[in-house]
Amino acid sequence: MQRPAGGLDVVLQLRRPKAINALNHSMVLTITEREWAEDDPVHIVVVTGAGR
């Protein structure tokens, strides 16, 4: 996970080339249950894939 300084966005880069960077149920739950700091809000989550 990367968070540009001073930004309201987060970049999640998947590195699962064998699964062609597909999201599975467990990953979605992990992302949606992530506790973001209340004083440091996230407005945008960008999901990208590495490789292939």
Side-chain angles (χ1 to χ4, degrees):
M1 180 172 77
Q2 297 175 348
R3 186 142 191 203
L8 297 176
D9 57 338
V10 169
V11 178
L12 295 174
Q13 184 177 57
L14 304 178
R15 294 185 180 142
R16 301 181 65 219
K18 291 182 181 179
I20 313 171
N21 293 318
L23 287 170
N24 62 28
H25 183 70
S26 176
M27 293 173 69
V28 172
L29 289 177
T30 299
I31 293 168
T32 57
E33 292 174 353
R34 173 90 164 94
E35 294 181 22
W36 309 105
E38 290 181 21
D39 60 338
D40 199 11
V42 172
H43 291 211
I44 300 167
V45 176
V46 178
V47 180
T48 65
R52 288 186 88 160

